[in-house]
Amino acid sequence: CICFRNRTESRANLLRAKNHNAYRIVLTGGPCAGKSSAAAELQEQLTSHGFLVFTLPEIATVMFNAGANWTQFAETEEGLAAFQSELTKLQIAQEDSFLRLCGVTEKPCVVICDRGLMDGKAYCTPKVWDIVQKKLWMNESRMLARYDAVAFMVTAADGAEEFYTKDNNAARRENPEEAV
């Protein structure tokens, strides 16, 4: 499922308004859904059509590889909310940095995000997610308004279990049952 939105409908796009040549696409979905493969294919295809393409890493993986894992903070609602808030702030900073780079080139640009701001919701209780939104002064509509397209991809664990693997991502911890 790919959802496109009208780029002019929200004030949340102020940064993008300055960078009218930049498009932001989110690849989201369960683990081992093909997000990295899709990002590589999109980068190749879009580059061949003259776009400057930036493929951003999944921030949760960056944090896990740095030694921070959400399970270390999940013992309390306050800890999980703090972890998810910091992860989201880092995601925003990464996206905005690349959009600023887009603003200094004449080439049309595409920023491909391996997961978006809303992905953290899957790892929070409704109460914790509400705390995260309040900490960030951001609601779900504003989070989604940052993107031009969102592609939801289904995990291989849902119907193609024989292709589900942890081998291609050291930070992937979910077994097939947890991935679904």
Side-chain angles (χ1 to χ4, degrees):
C1 171
I2 299 178
C3 302
F4 293 93
R5 55 176 296 285
N6 182 338
R7 291 165 38 99
T8 61
E9 60 187 54
S10 173
R11 290 185 61 210
N13 292 320
L14 291 177
L15 183 58
R16 185 173 309 132
K18 294 178 184 175
N19 300 313
H20 60 277
N21 65 330
Y23 300 88
R24 195 170 356 189
I25 300 171
V26 173
L27 302 179
T28 188
C32 199
K35 294 179 294 291
S36 297
S37 298
E41 181 65 23
L42 277 170
Q43 184 169 28
E44 182 180 322
Q45 292 295 321
L46 291 167
T47 300
S48 74
H49 285 89
F51 287 88
L52 178 59
V53 181
F54 299 107
T55 304
L56 308 186
E58 178 187 15
I59 289 298
T61 298
V62 170
M63 291 181 74
F64 295 164
N65 289 340
N69 189 312
W70 71 274
T71 58
Q72 297 165 313
F73 302 94
E75 294 175 11
T76 66
E77 289 179 338
E78 179 183 338
L80 184 55
F83 178 83
Q84 193 61 50
S85 296
E86 294 307 316
L87 185 152
T88 305
K89 288 177 195 175
L90 191 54
Q91 175 82 24
I92 290 167
Q94 175 181 244
E95 291 173 8
D96 290 351
S97 291
F98 281 89
L99 281 180
R100 285 189 293 273
L101 288 175
C102 294
V104 297
T105 181
E106 294 298 316
K107 287 185 87 169
C109 299
V110 177
V111 177
I112 301 171
C113 304
D114 185 341
R115 297 196 181 264
L117 299 184
M118 288 290 298
D119 282 80
K121 184 177 182 179
Y123 298 93
C124 298
T125 64
K127 181 179 179 184
V128 168
W129 185 243
D130 188 52
I131 294 168
V132 169
Q133 290 178 86
K134 287 178 180 167
K135 282 181 173 244
L136 298 171
W137 293 80
M138 199 175 237
N139 61 28
E140 291 180 0
S141 294
R142 284 190 58 208
M143 289 179 187
L144 289 171
R146 294 175 57 86
Y147 307 111
D148 297 297
V150 177
F152 179 79
M153 304 175 75
V154 177
T155 176
D158 186 8
E161 296 85 358
E162 64 274 15
F163 297 105
Y164 186 84
T165 181
K166 295 181 186 180
D167 295 341
N168 61 347
N169 184 339
R172 183 174 297 140
R173 294 182 170 47
E174 300 92 342
N175 62 41
E177 294 76 30
E178 294 168 325
V180 176

